[in-house]
Amino acid sequence: MKGSKILLIEDTPDLVSVILRGLSEEEVEVSVAADGVTGLEMAFKYDFDLIVLDIMLPVMNGIQVCKEVRKRNAEIAILMLTALGSTENIVTGLESGADDYLVKPFKLEELVARMRTLIRRSRKQITFTDRISIADLEINTASKMITKANQPVNLTATEYRLLEYLLKNQNKVLSRIQILENVWDIDFNMGTNVVDVYINYLRKKIDNDKGPKLIHTVFGMGYILKEEMPNEISK
């Protein structure tokens, strides 16, 4: 994380002070905004490696800020902080484009660890062909464009990351834990159904009435992206 530029958008002075103290030995550059509008202006004006974003902000809330940032920048890592920890709230935060979600109160060590992970992932350079396909589904990893039967498919940032991971691992059974670790880089409570929620989102957009079904459930194990279903796998 050394040398990283971080934007902290948080309106609680005591929490800001704690986070700044926790990052004092990390050799990072931290800029602070106390409201959503100021934070958004700074995100557009300067280059950051990571945005740490509270949801409950004055003027403009974190969900709105995240959505606006994602319209211009699909690559920057975004970590949301909030006191709202239900599955529904987690999905809402991730749906807006966040990469990770940390519920208050949290341990500073966990925050720093998650920040390191997100920055490392955003900097990681992985070489894949620009185009990955299966049956009539294709994505272009450079342009982030998805087509099904030559028709464009509109996905959210999280849905795209999930589909890309499934495509890069097509014909492999992927557990929910594998998906969480590789798509979100986070450890949710094992009781969460976030993966299932997003699989259902993808199915509605990818597995329509036209063309073969591609996303299948392997009961007790996870999910597989496969053109043809073997007899032992059920939808």
Side-chain angles (χ1 to χ4, degrees), residues 21-39:
R21 286 200 301 272
L23 294 174
S24 61
E25 297 182 1
E26 295 294 328
E27 298 184 52
V28 295
E29 180 181 329
V30 184
S31 301
V32 180
D35 65 79
V37 169
T38 301

Side-chain angles (χ1 to χ4, degrees), residues 66-67 70-71 73-76 78 93-99 121 144 146 154-164 183-184 198 202 205:
C66 189
K67 288 180 178 178
R70 278 288 176 248
K71 288 179 182 178
N73 191 331
E75 304 301 326
I76 189 170
I78 299 177
L94 296 174
E95 184 74 11
S96 70
D99 298 285
R121 188 179 74 177
K144 310 298 184 186
I146 308 102
N154 295 317
L155 300 180
T156 66
T158 304
E159 290 168 352
Y160 174 84
R161 289 199 303 272
L162 175 57
L163 178 60
E164 183 177 298
V183 176
W184 284 279
Y198 274 90
L202 270 187
K205 296 182 178 182

Side-chain angles (χ1 to χ4, degrees), residues 11-26:
D11 66 324
T12 305
D14 289 345
L15 181 55
V16 170
S17 296
V18 168
I19 293 174
L20 291 179
R21 286 200 301 272
L23 294 174
S24 61
E25 297 182 1
E26 295 294 328

Side-chain angles (χ1 to χ4, degrees), residues 11 41 68 80 116 129 176 180 192 201 211 225 229:
D11 66 324
E41 291 174 349
E68 292 302 314
M80 277 193 169
R116 287 196 190 107
T129 178
R176 289 171 176 81
L180 282 172
T192 184
Y201 288 164
L225 185 73
M229 290 224 358

